């Protein structure tokens, strides 16, 4: 749901009622992961996707029904061998969809006297707050009940990093307390996943299943070396929803004119800039300088950090020389094994654009647990159970 937060937040601000359908669980080769969403407003406008097209029509109708009834609904879609014409996933997977109506202005409601855009019930209020936080790029997570007592289905709780929260899951008073603690831990890790806790807030008893969606700032891609390959990589990085920084010690190359799509352009020695940054485990570094005086001090530091990906451009001969230089400054074999060099997958790339695609493909494969081999003739899964796409939503585990 938070993937489409900016547009949904505009709907809230405009006082438009809508229903949001969210993938809450998957099994098998499902096309979208938990958190993927489709929303439909009262005018029939739809945004987002839950299946890439397989069941969009049926989910669209569920959203319209939820808008009429005002009640949440949980529906399962899968493939039926008995009925080839049944609505389902042709890929053979199974997805569970939670449809929740969000009221922002309802004639005759208890909050009808409020201003336009003010949600009219507690769940709508909580979801609206979650959408506003995600649209602003704030760190927050929303937990929703996707399985448990029928009267609690869809109830939502918004949790921020400082432990403050909005909304309530209802039921036992201890349920909120336990949910807040676990949701905050998932938010701190930037994860979107499901958790199970007792309806009374304990680890036992009748279970309640929550979908926790974490909204975190976009992950960072730092490109060192303001060369023509970097210009192409910046474009691909933005396409993949990274916050992209270009860093080079040479001011004549590191310019806004050459890198108009970059979020940040920094003129500094790469290792000095790296020392000044507070990086997390989602950050990717692409070292395109292939110059020892830049590469070695930079990689000496980078390979000791818990980053998602560190890749360096250069020939195999350059790579071997670089490895020896890094050994000479004290890096261990375990640290050196984290270096992806020569950078990128073997696509036979020649142009800067093709090379950027090869680098991006390796980053995605590394994040998702992919093999990089062609799917044709392979027996590897199409959809790996790795992390969520980046952007504001964190990983699924």
């Amino acid at each position: 749901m938070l993937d489409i937060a900016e547009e949904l937040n505009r709907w809230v601000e405009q006082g438009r009622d809508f229903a949001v359908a969210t993938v809450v669980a998957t099994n098998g080769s499902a096309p979208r992961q938990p958190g993927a969403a489709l929303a439909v407003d009262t005018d029939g406008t739809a945004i987002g996707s839950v299946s890439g097209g397989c069941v969009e029509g049926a989910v669209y109708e569920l959203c319209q029904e939820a808008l009429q009834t005002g009640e949440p609904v949980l529906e399962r879609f899968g493939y039926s061998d008995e009925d080839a014409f049944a609505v389902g996933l042709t890929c053979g997977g199974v997805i569970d969809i939670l449809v929740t109506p969000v009221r922002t202005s309802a004639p005759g409601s208890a909050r009808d006297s409020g201003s336009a855009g003010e949600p009219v019930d507690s769940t709508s209020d909580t979801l609206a707050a979650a959408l506003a936080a995600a649209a602003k790029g704030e760190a927050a997570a929303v937990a929703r009940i996707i399985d448990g007592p029928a009267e609690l289905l869809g109830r939502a709780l918004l949790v921020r990093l400082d432990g403050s929260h909005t909304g309530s899951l209802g039921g036992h008073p201890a349920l909120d307390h336990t949910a807040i603690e676990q949701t905050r831990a998932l938010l701190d890790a930037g994860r979107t996943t499901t958790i199970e806790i007792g309806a009374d807030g304990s680890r036992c008893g009748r279970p309640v299943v929550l979908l926790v969606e974490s909204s975190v700032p976009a992950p960072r891609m730092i490109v060192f070396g303001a060369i023509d390959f970097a210009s192409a990589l910046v474009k691909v990085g933005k396409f993949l929803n990274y916050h992209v920084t270009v860093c080079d010690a040479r001011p004549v190359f590191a310019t806004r004119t050459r890198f108009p799509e970059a979020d940040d352009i920094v003129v500094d020695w790469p290792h000095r800039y790296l020392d000044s940054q507070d990086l997390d485990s989602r950050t990717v570094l692409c070292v395109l300088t292939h110059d020892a005086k830049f590469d070695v001090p930079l990689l000496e530091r980078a390979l000791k950090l818990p980053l998602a990906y560190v890749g360096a451009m250069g020939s195999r001969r350059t790579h071997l020389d670089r490895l020896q230089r890094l050994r000479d400054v004290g890096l261990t074999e375990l640290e050196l094994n984290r270096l992806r060099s020569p950078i990128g997958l073997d696509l036979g790339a020649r142009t800067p654009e093709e090379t950027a695609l090869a680098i991006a493909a390796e980053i995605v494969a590394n994040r998702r647990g992919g093999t990089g081999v062609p799917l044709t003739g392979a027996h590897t899964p199409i959809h790996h159970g790795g992390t969520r796409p980046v952007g504001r939503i964190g990983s699924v585990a």
Side-chain angles (χ1 to χ4, degrees), residues 1 22 100 127 142-146 154-156 209-211 213:
M1 178 185 69
T22 307
T100 306
L127 294 181
V142 60
R144 286 187 283 169
I145 295 179
I146 62 173
R155 293 294 298 268
V209 181
L210 306 178
L211 172 69
E213 295 180 75

Side-chain angles (χ1 to χ4, degrees), residues 284-308:
V284 302
L285 302 187
C286 300
V287 183
L288 309 185
T289 48
H290 50 79
D291 184 330
K293 68 176 179 289
F294 293 121
D295 292 359
V296 173
L298 171 61
L299 293 173
E300 178 187 357
R301 292 160 170 79
L303 293 174
K304 294 179 180 179
L305 299 174
L307 306 177

Side-chain angles (χ1 to χ4, degrees), residues 166-203:
T166 299
S168 173
L169 299 178
H172 196 284
L175 178 59
D176 281 353
H177 177 74
T178 303
I180 290 169
E181 288 186 341
Q182 295 198 33
T183 299
R184 186 180 179 186
L186 290 171
L187 173 60
D188 188 58
R191 295 177 57 195
T192 288
T193 189
T194 56
I195 57 175
E196 183 176 300
I197 56 179
D200 60 356
S202 68
R203 291 288 185 176

Side-chain angles (χ1 to χ4, degrees), residues 23 26-34 36 49-54 89-95 364-365 367-375 378-389 396:
V23 177
T26 65
N27 186 27
S29 185
R32 301 296 304 276
Q33 292 297 304
S49 171
V50 292
S51 72
C54 298
L89 301 179
T90 57
C91 59
V94 176
I95 58 174
V364 172
R367 189 177 70 210
R368 300 293 191 187
T371 63
V373 303
L375 291 173
H379 298 286
T380 57
I382 296 176
H383 304 290
H384 292 261
T387 60
R388 278 283 331 246
V396 169

Side-chain angles (χ1 to χ4, degrees), residues 263-277:
D263 294 291
D264 304 301
I265 299 174
V266 177
V267 178
D268 200 351
W269 278 76
H271 71 277
R272 188 164 59 190
Y273 175 69
L274 186 69
D275 287 343
S276 70
Q277 299 302 295

Side-chain angles (χ1 to χ4, degrees), residues 73-87:
V73 61
L74 184 67
E75 190 78 20
R76 173 166 291 180
F77 294 93
Y79 180 75
S80 172
D81 290 324
E82 290 75 23
D83 185 0
F85 294 98
V87 174

